[in-house]
Amino acid sequence: MKVDEIYTIPSYDYQGENNWGDVLLPVDLKSMGKPIPLPDGLEARVRSDYVSIYKPIKEDGEDVFLRIAGMELLGSDLPTPKPARQVDTLSVHPKYRKKGLARILYHLALRYVSPYLEAGYQQTPGGKKMWLALANDPQVQVQGLVEFLEQEVIDQKYQADWAKKAKAELLKKFMALGPEYMGKSRDSKNKLIFLVPIVNLGRALALAQEFSDIQLYHEVHRPPALTTGLLATWRG
């Protein structure tokens, strides 16, 4: 089934890709990770925290590499079978955009770093387009992520009766979306994480907003009880 739209992560305007400066590196790039040959004479390097693509060029008569694309990765607290990584930033040299390099970076990260890749907490318009493309990529499965703070949703001892009732109704609506329980966060046993089908993520986001509205009114200093995100899994 083709996915036409993903309702999820807040937008932000990342300016780094507009200020790209040429980065020339020596051909010996051992510190940048294992070399992976790509089409058109390009070469990729992969580390746990960075995936990059280089083009061999001549500079003052010497063989050097020009960095033309890169993706920075962070750790993730998702309870996946193997540790997941989270996308921090992705940028492509202005001269090499619209050539599919962003998609290659995602594939490289999923194949060689971790088969589980979490979207960042914010996305550029280009990042949203990329995740929509991944959702329609036969080699990748994209699912919605929903994270509850257990004490705010289940343990409601100190909440007003009206807030308890409202949250109970929202939970019923959420369970109707067909969520799959992943487990508790690696860094906080108070976080319960579920997977939801992409087609239901928009409704999950609306529920997250309703939870937040209740807490903004009733529990001003508490974090949102329900948040949403995206998870890409490598199918190969």
Side-chain angles (χ1 to χ4, degrees):
M1 181 179 66
K2 187 175 185 297
V3 179
D4 295 315
E5 189 166 4
I6 296 176
Y7 298 86
T8 180
I9 299 161
S11 297
Y12 81 112
D13 186 16
Y14 173 56
Q15 297 295 330
E17 63 182 21
N18 297 321
N19 299 317
W20 186 286
D22 286 354
V23 177
L24 300 176
L25 296 167
V27 173
D28 183 5
L29 294 175
K30 291 181 180 179
S31 65
M32 297 303 295
K34 180 182 178 181
I36 300 169
L38 298 174
D40 301 322
L42 302 179
E43 184 175 296
R45 298 282 174 140
V46 175
R47 301 187 320 198
S48 62
D49 62 344
Y50 196 73
V51 179
S52 48
I53 298 175
Y54 298 91
K55 180 178 181 179
I57 64 170
K58 288 279 189 181
E59 180 74 12
D60 297 329
E62 294 187 12
D63 292 323
V64 295
F65 277 130
L66 172 67
R67 181 169 63 89
I68 61 173
M71 172 192 282
E72 294 186 55
L73 300 170
L74 303 173
S76 169
D77 64 0
L78 294 179
T80 47
K82 293 183 179 180
R85 303 297 288 174
Q86 185 183 60
V87 179
D88 185 18
T89 61
L90 184 151
S91 52
V92 178
H93 193 293
K95 294 181 181 178
Y96 297 92
R97 293 175 189 168
K98 297 184 179 180
K99 297 181 183 295
L101 294 182
R103 178 176 175 272
I104 291 174
L105 286 172
Y106 274 93
H107 277 211
L108 288 168
L110 286 163
R111 289 182 63 186
Y112 296 103
V113 181
S114 171
Y116 304 100
L117 201 58
E118 182 184 4
Y121 295 123
Q122 293 181 311
Q123 287 182 335
T124 64
K128 290 187 180 232
K129 290 179 182 178
M130 188 67 249
W131 276 87
L132 181 59
L134 289 174
N136 292 289
D137 187 328
Q139 292 183 286
V140 180
Q141 180 184 25
V142 175
Q143 295 169 283
L145 283 170
V146 178
E147 179 183 283
F148 287 95
L149 291 181
E150 184 176 24
Q151 68 185 37
E152 308 299 344
V153 178
I154 299 172
D155 180 11
Q156 301 180 359
K157 182 167 54 174
Y158 299 108
Q159 298 179 24
D161 289 342
W162 71 266
K164 293 179 183 179
K165 184 177 179 180
K167 287 185 176 182
E169 289 299 317
L170 291 174
L171 277 175
K172 287 181 182 179
K173 293 179 182 179
F174 173 71
M175 296 310 295
L177 300 180
E180 174 189 342
Y181 179 58
M182 287 186 73
K184 293 190 176 184
S185 164
R186 292 180 185 270
D187 69 356
S188 173
K189 298 305 180 183
N190 184 36
K191 294 180 183 178
L192 307 178
I193 300 176
F194 294 81
L195 291 168
V196 297
I198 279 294
V199 293
N200 290 337
L201 189 57
R203 293 168 66 189
L205 181 61
L207 292 175
Q209 185 59 56
E210 290 188 57
F211 265 102
S212 295
D213 289 345
I214 292 172
Q215 289 181 206
L216 285 172
Y217 183 84
H218 179 62
E219 303 160 302
V220 177
H221 299 296
R222 294 190 181 274
L226 185 155
T227 56
T228 60
L230 294 169
L231 177 68
T233 303
W234 182 248
R235 287 175 167 171

